[in-house]
Amino acid sequence: MKLQKSSQYRWVVLTMCWAIFTMTCVDRSSWGPASSFVGQSLAVPVAALGIFATGYYIGYVASNAFGGFLTDWLGGRMLLSVTGVLAGLVMFAFGSVESTTTGLVVQGLLGLFAGADFAAGLKLISTWFRPAQRGLAIGIFMTATSLGTVIANAVVPRIIAESSWRDSYHMFGIITIIISVLTFSLVRNEPQDVERADHSGSESRSLPNLRPLFTNRDLLLLGLAGFGGVWGATGFITWSNTLMVRGNGIDPVDAGIVLVMFSIIAIGIKPIVGWVTDALRLGQKIPIIFIFIVFGCALLLFGRLSTFTQFLWCAPLVGFGAYAFSPLTAALAPVLSGKTLAGSAAGGVNAVWQLGSVAAPALVGAVYQATDSFYSAFVILAIGPFVGALMACFIRAPRPGKSAGDRDAAETTIVGA
């Protein structure tokens, strides 16, 4: 294969990874605007709707923990396309459930199948893009989480108004399946697969040896650092609207506008941060520390505000902190693990990160209920990114452009990159 052709093909790989990740994020985010209608249809009390989200995240965390291992064993292409098809089928099935028990099981399966695409996508990106070029690529890839939320909240209410919540799940399930099948047809695991025109994508693979990951203190620190960031981001997304309304008497519509301002920065900031760190050869460690400190300070500032105008001006700063770190922490995982175990490393650390999305909302709610203090709730949120910054300080990251496990291989794997 010509060098130029191989260099261009990596963007096909990135596009398909991003497309599947976006659709599984749409599938996950559809629960928010559809939940009350699902509750009415299945006769589920409003107070119990949260258990559906819990069921999803149980499957999601488990999928991240094991999906990375399967990615390194079977290949990113296989995991990305097969789990995408299964996620689409389960999404379609949820649109046809008639009982609460079945719905909970299906939600758990949806999380189980939808969680593997993160590790599989990072594995493919780390293979096709050199370390010095991954910031922009992973930044683009990570826009899927924000874009998925935007699409779901824009489309699902309209479908419900014109038809029913079931049709939205059926539609997104079908789209997810179609994109997954296209991914299986278009994506190859490595440049060598393209050169051989091996449409099966099969190759001799052995079980990956995970022992180096379990003894990698830097990956553990990265997991704890990302946990702190997700703690602050998920806690803010979950509680900020309610806290503004109850704690400061902000109109619910105005509180929603504040959250729009917070979220709108996400789609642009992720690729920009990745591109800047690539261009300036900053690596990931120092920018992660800086962003976490800004995020923690922004949360403390937000907790001191009291008017709609103040919240509106502060929201983009909080949004920067909440979203800018994720492409950098994601890009650092394969740098610390090396390309061979990139999938297992990404899945493992993301499983740890997502525990923050489980723990923070519950603790913030308990603190606010006990203290009735708006500021105390945001102090709890700010602890996460501050601890994340502290953990990141002790990460021994290699110099920009090199990976810990296979510096030279990472540079030569990409043909003409």
Side-chain angles (χ1 to χ4, degrees):
M1 161 167 281
K2 295 182 179 180
L3 299 184
Q4 183 179 6
K5 184 177 179 181
S6 184
S7 179
Q8 293 172 344
Y9 177 75
R10 61 185 176 165
W11 295 104
V12 175
V13 175
L14 174 60
T15 299
M16 298 315 299
C17 291
W18 170 84
I20 286 190
F21 194 24
T22 297
M23 283 313 305
T24 57
C25 289
V26 170
D27 296 345
R28 176 177 63 205
S29 300
S30 295
W31 174 252
S35 59
S36 62
F37 299 94
V38 176
Q40 294 173 11
S41 178
L42 302 182
V44 179
V46 174
L49 288 176
I51 62 175
F52 282 84
T54 300
Y56 175 91
Y57 278 105
I58 290 174
Y60 186 81
V61 171
S63 179
N64 275 277
F66 296 103
F69 170 79
L70 293 175
T71 294
D72 288 331
W73 180 21
L74 302 176
R77 169 195 183 235
M78 180 65 70
L79 257 291
L80 199 64
S81 54
V82 171
T83 58
V85 168
L86 292 173
L89 290 172
V90 172
M91 186 73 174
F92 188 92
F94 188 79
S96 302
V97 298
E98 297 292 346
S99 71
T100 301
T101 302
T102 304
L104 287 172
V105 172
V106 173
Q107 277 289 306
L109 289 174
L110 179 59
L112 187 65
F113 295 134
D117 53 7
F118 177 78
L122 282 185
K123 172 76 172 183
L124 288 166
I125 292 171
S126 68
T127 299
W128 283 93
F129 287 80
R130 291 186 298 170
Q133 300 171 327
R134 289 179 194 158
L136 174 60
I138 293 177
I140 294 172
F141 177 67
M142 294 297 291
T143 61
T145 57
S146 308
L147 186 59
T149 301
V150 172
I151 292 173
N153 283 277
V155 175
V156 173
R158 293 180 181 273
I159 295 178
I160 292 174
E162 297 177 0
S163 181
S164 74
W165 67 270
R166 296 183 184 277
D167 287 341
S168 65
Y169 275 81
H170 290 159
M171 183 186 74
F172 287 139
I174 292 172
I175 294 174
T176 303
I177 292 171
I178 292 173
I179 293 177
S180 301
V181 172
L182 286 174
T183 298
F184 188 81
S185 301
L186 297 175
V187 170
R188 301 292 173 262
N189 287 318
E190 297 180 1
Q192 292 84 352
D193 294 336
V194 181
E195 291 173 339
R196 291 193 303 263
D198 182 2
H199 290 278
S200 68
S202 61
E203 57 186 87
S204 177
R205 291 183 179 274
S206 58
L207 286 172
N209 177 19
L210 300 184
R211 188 175 303 170
L213 297 185
F214 294 129
T215 58
N216 190 326
R217 65 180 291 274
D218 297 308
L219 277 177
L220 174 60
L221 290 169
L222 179 62
L224 295 175
F227 173 91
V230 172
W231 172 288
T234 305
F236 183 86
I237 292 169
T238 303
W239 278 104
S240 56
N241 192 302
T242 300
L243 291 175
M244 281 187 287
V245 173
R246 294 189 177 184
N248 287 283
I250 301 298
D251 181 81
V253 174
D254 289 341
I257 294 174
V258 172
L259 266 293
V260 169
M261 291 298 297
F262 162 82
S263 300
I264 202 169
I265 195 174
I267 296 175
I269 198 62
K270 293 178 181 179
I272 289 174
V273 166
W275 177 77
V276 169
T277 54
D278 282 348
L280 300 181
R281 300 185 66 81
L282 297 174
Q284 295 85 26
K285 176 180 175 178
I286 300 302
I288 287 172
I289 295 171
F290 171 76
I291 292 168
F292 276 154
I293 292 174
V294 171
F295 187 21
C297 292
L299 288 170
L300 292 177
L301 174 62
F302 196 92
R304 285 295 189 187
L305 305 179
S306 59
T307 69
F308 168 65
T309 302
Q310 292 172 341
F311 288 134
L312 196 62
W313 280 103
C314 189
L317 181 62
V318 180
F320 168 80
Y323 291 115
F325 73 87
S326 60
L328 299 178
T329 51
L332 188 54
V335 171
L336 297 176
S337 68
K339 180 176 70 68
T340 303
L341 294 175
S344 299
V349 294
N350 194 40
V352 176
W353 297 341
Q354 294 306 319
L355 293 176
S357 66
V358 176
L363 183 58
V364 171
V367 168
Y368 182 70
Q369 182 175 354
T371 64
D372 197 30
S373 168
F374 183 78
Y375 186 66
S376 295
F378 283 88
V379 170
I380 296 298
L381 290 178
I383 289 174
F386 284 138
V387 170
L390 179 63
M391 294 296 102
C393 288
F394 296 101
I395 295 175
R396 298 170 300 187
R399 66 185 180 86
K402 300 294 183 182
S403 66
D406 50 357
R407 294 173 174 83
D408 296 332
E411 293 291 339
T412 58
T413 296
I414 315 306
V415 180

